[in-house]
Amino acid sequence: MNTTAQDRSLTRAVKQLIDVLHSGFDKGRIEVLAARERRRATLSGGDVAFLEDTVHVRERKWKVEQLPENLLERRVELIGGASRPELVEGMNSGAKSYIADLWNSTSGDTWDILRAHRNIERAAALDLAYLETDGGRVRINPGTTTRLMVAPRPLYVLEPSYLVHAEPVPAAFLDLALIMLNCSQWMVEKQGGIHLYLRNVHGHLEARLWAHLFDAVEEHVQLPRGTIRATVMIDSINGALEADEILFELVHHAAGLAMDPQGYAGDHIGLFHEKDRPVFPDRGSIGLNAPFLRALSLHLISTAHRRGCHAMGAPSFVLPSLDGERMKPEYLEMLSDVERQSVDGHDGTIVVHPGTVNAAMAEFNKNMPRAHQLDHQRKDEITAADLIQRPEGAVQVESLLGSLRMMLRMMVQQEEGRGWVVQGGRLHDRSSMRLALRLIWHWNHAERGVLGVKGLMIGPDLLRYLLRKESTKMYGEADARTRTRANKAVDQLLALVLGDALPLEPMP
């Protein structure tokens, strides 16, 4: 860790605010995370239902605090990391917003996190540039109309760069302190507010804690309540079942709901992975038309619009084709998904590459002539059973190999400061790797984990053979340092997918 960078970032004012948050809210954070595990144990045991104690919240008529005028149109939002090139290209992309994701798209290494915060600070001031490989300098267009949003790290993540009572502080506290003290003035002046995405919010108690944190940091920097507006990324079954309640707790701070289909599928495996259950199919079969993801999408539109805030469509991880004259089937599938989102009633969608912004924008322009679709009220009756309906399909050889390659590449490259890799024409982030890891663990441990039409069982010997073979193909001619990292990655992955415990996180 670069101690000079740490000292420069963690100023006295930042440490003071972190201490305020820690003393006021860390006990509550620990309590809500414990409540999360109790709720998950209930769900895993088969009692999957909307909460009885909060039925009054779901049945009453209420709305979140009215959205600010400058946040009414979101149409296409680009999500990515917080490196200089990503932030500059994101702010120049023409998207309505750029989301700098400090969790799914950024390495968890302390140096990378602090560097990301410094980049975000300069991006908020529209004073950020990077050097291209040919030596040219690219800077943020000072006239850009793209908003800067930030996704802080989840409540359960700890940050070792700052200790309180010899224990690492919650990463979310550090992220909030740096955003508010370094960026809030610029964000309020240039875009009228501080706009966040929240990941890993498993229910209303966690949303209530976030609301208290927002109130505290707004008061600390003397900003009106509601200056912070958060869109909650629903990436867990707990969160889906408490979507109404989450918005209710964030009533002054809510901007909308979005979905992370890969996170949601991974969470399904996390809850329901008994050996005798039918296995999840390969990733190619878990598209947005999969019943449980389709139900989630319609549920979030209905909930968000009933409560007066946005419903953002699922992110597309497809990358533009390198061949400008030939459109890939995956790209056409992405356009079809975006078109369906706009027709269903979403207020916008999320993409991961600047080259797909215009295409996604065109699909929404065709079907959404106004700035949003808040008045589009769906009548779908989505049940708890709909939200957990298991997808069906086979496990294909190429899908298994693709997942192994992606996980190897992610673990070998994590020292480069990114939380994502490109593999097979798609961008893969932390949620993608977690899903791949859990799928392979699931196939290996299930009684019905078979490969393709031949019925070859997916087991330890096969996984050892395939991982070592793919590692040799990918890195056999690399330099000695990279080969060493690849061998280490093989051992780490084997330990995760062959271990008895469900893998929680694929990397720090």
Side-chain angles (χ1 to χ4, degrees):
M1 170 62 199
N2 187 316
T3 55
T4 302
Q6 181 175 342
D7 292 342
R8 188 167 65 246
S9 298
L10 299 181
T11 63
R12 177 181 294 183
V14 170
K15 292 178 179 179
Q16 181 184 14
L17 180 50
I18 294 173
D19 289 345
V20 167
L21 297 178
H22 191 276
S23 63
F25 303 104
D26 193 52
K27 180 181 178 182
R29 182 188 71 89
I30 294 169
E31 290 172 352
V32 299
L33 291 178
R36 169 197 292 193
E37 294 309 309
R38 292 192 294 272
R39 171 71 163 146
R40 290 180 65 75
T42 299
L43 295 174
S44 184
D47 186 7
V48 180
F50 296 101
L51 289 175
E52 292 184 7
D53 293 346
T54 56
V55 64
H56 62 286
V57 173
R58 296 192 299 277
E59 292 183 352
R60 276 174 44 198
K61 291 184 178 180
W62 55 268
K63 290 183 181 292
V64 303
E65 190 170 299
Q66 186 174 353
L67 296 177
E69 185 72 25
N70 52 30
L71 193 57
L72 284 177
E73 182 169 358
R74 299 175 65 178
R75 209 168 290 259
V76 178
E77 295 184 336
L78 175 64
I79 192 168
S83 68
R84 283 174 175 261
E86 288 171 307
L87 281 161
V88 172
E89 292 171 7
M91 294 298 289
N92 290 344
S93 66
K96 297 299 180 183
S97 310
Y98 179 72
I99 308 160
D101 192 336
L102 292 170
W103 179 238
N104 260 31
S105 301
T106 303
S107 162
D109 179 78
T110 293
W111 163 241
D112 295 318
I113 287 292
L114 295 181
R115 180 169 53 184
H117 273 290
R118 291 198 302 275
N119 293 338
I120 290 170
E121 178 184 3
R122 295 191 62 182
L126 305 183
D127 181 29
L128 187 67
Y130 73 95
L131 291 177
E132 292 185 307
T133 53
D134 61 3
R137 187 169 183 268
V138 184
R139 59 171 299 199
I140 294 178
N141 180 353
T144 182
T145 58
T146 298
R147 303 179 200 91
L148 177 60
M149 298 182 166
V150 184
R153 289 171 288 174
L155 288 172
Y156 72 90
V157 180
L158 299 177
E159 172 51 60
S161 66
Y162 186 59
L163 306 180
V164 174
H165 306 309
E167 295 291 335
V169 298
F173 295 179
L174 181 141
D175 290 344
L176 273 183
L178 286 169
I179 292 166
M180 295 303 291
L181 293 176
N182 295 342
C183 308
S184 61
Q185 178 183 350
W186 296 104
M187 287 179 167
V188 172
E189 288 180 3
K190 296 181 183 301
Q191 57 193 40
I194 301 156
H195 307 309
L196 305 179
Y197 263 81
L198 298 182
R199 292 187 177 275
N200 205 250
V201 180
H202 279 233
H204 71 285
L205 297 179
E206 296 175 34
R208 182 183 300 168
L209 178 60
W210 276 110
H212 291 332
L213 287 167
F214 294 160
D215 289 341
V217 293
E218 285 173 342
E219 182 178 355
H220 189 87
V221 297
Q222 299 181 334
L223 288 172
R225 185 170 68 174
T227 301
I228 297 175
R229 287 301 183 109
T231 301
V232 180
M233 186 76 80
I234 299 297
D235 49 15
S236 67
I237 292 169
N238 313 40
L241 292 170
E242 297 184 41
D244 270 300
E245 293 91 329
I246 287 171
L247 291 178
F248 182 78
E249 296 295 343
L250 288 167
V251 64
H252 300 293
H253 299 285
L257 300 172
M259 61 184 287
D260 175 356
Q262 299 184 111
Y264 193 79
D267 188 67
H268 193 295
I269 297 171
L271 285 175
F272 312 113
H273 53 259
E274 292 84 354
K275 287 181 178 291
D276 58 348
R277 280 182 177 265
V279 297
F280 257 56
D282 62 44
R283 295 162 62 96
S285 303
I286 313 176
L288 295 180
N289 271 327
F292 73 139
L293 295 180
R294 179 74 177 143
L296 176 64
S297 176
L298 299 180
H299 174 57
L300 297 187
I301 296 171
S302 175
T303 303
H305 287 179
R306 188 168 65 253
R307 305 311 182 188
C309 58
H310 292 133
M312 300 299 293
S316 165
F317 292 88
V318 174
L319 303 179
S321 175
L322 297 176
D323 182 356
E325 298 181 358
R326 187 169 65 89
M327 197 170 290
K328 300 184 300 182
E330 295 90 345
Y331 195 81
L332 293 173
E333 181 184 354
M334 180 271 289
L335 294 178
S336 176
D337 286 339
V338 174
E339 179 184 34
R340 183 173 60 252
Q341 290 172 13
S342 63
V343 171
D344 283 344
H346 282 287
D347 303 287
T349 192
I350 301 171
V351 296
V352 299
H353 192 280
T356 60
V357 168
N358 288 340
M361 195 81 73
E363 293 300 324
F364 261 86
N365 289 344
K366 284 192 305 187
N367 300 298
M368 192 176 80
R370 298 174 59 191
H372 53 77
Q373 302 192 80
L374 293 176
D375 57 349
H376 183 86
Q377 299 294 324
R378 297 196 62 92
K379 304 297 183 182
D380 309 283
E381 294 292 335
I382 303 297
T383 66
D386 294 329
L387 294 170
I388 61 168
Q389 186 175 349
R390 182 179 292 265
E392 297 180 356
V395 182
Q396 303 297 338
V397 175
E398 190 52 41
S399 179
L400 174 59
L401 291 176
S403 292
L404 293 175
R405 293 176 194 133
M406 182 269 289
M407 291 192 297
L408 277 171
R409 196 177 301 279
M410 180 80 86
M411 297 190 80
V412 170
Q413 293 184 4
Q414 65 179 289
E415 292 184 15
E416 298 176 7
R418 293 200 308 254
W420 55 267
V421 295
V422 172
Q423 176 72 42
R426 293 177 181 268
L427 185 145
H428 300 273
D429 63 0
R430 186 184 293 267
S431 284
S432 180
M433 186 173 180
R434 187 189 301 110
L435 173 58
L437 188 63
R438 289 187 173 186
L439 279 171
I440 294 170
W441 180 90
H442 174 54
W443 296 334
N444 176 59
H445 287 78
E447 295 174 353
R448 290 180 253 182
V450 297
L451 191 59
V453 295
K454 296 182 180 179
L456 179 65
M457 287 295 297
I458 300 174
D461 291 341
L462 178 64
L463 292 175
R464 289 190 187 98
Y465 168 75
L466 291 177
L467 262 174
R468 288 176 177 139
K469 178 182 176 183
E470 292 305 313
S471 176
T472 300
K473 287 168 60 177
M474 294 168 66
Y475 300 108
E477 298 183 5
D479 59 84
R481 185 167 180 266
T482 301
R483 290 199 306 273
T484 299
R485 279 159 48 187
N487 291 334
K488 181 180 177 182
V490 168
D491 292 339
Q492 290 174 330
L493 284 172
L494 284 172
L496 289 169
V497 299
L498 302 184
D500 292 335
L502 176 82
L504 298 179
E505 284 299 334
M507 58 184 188

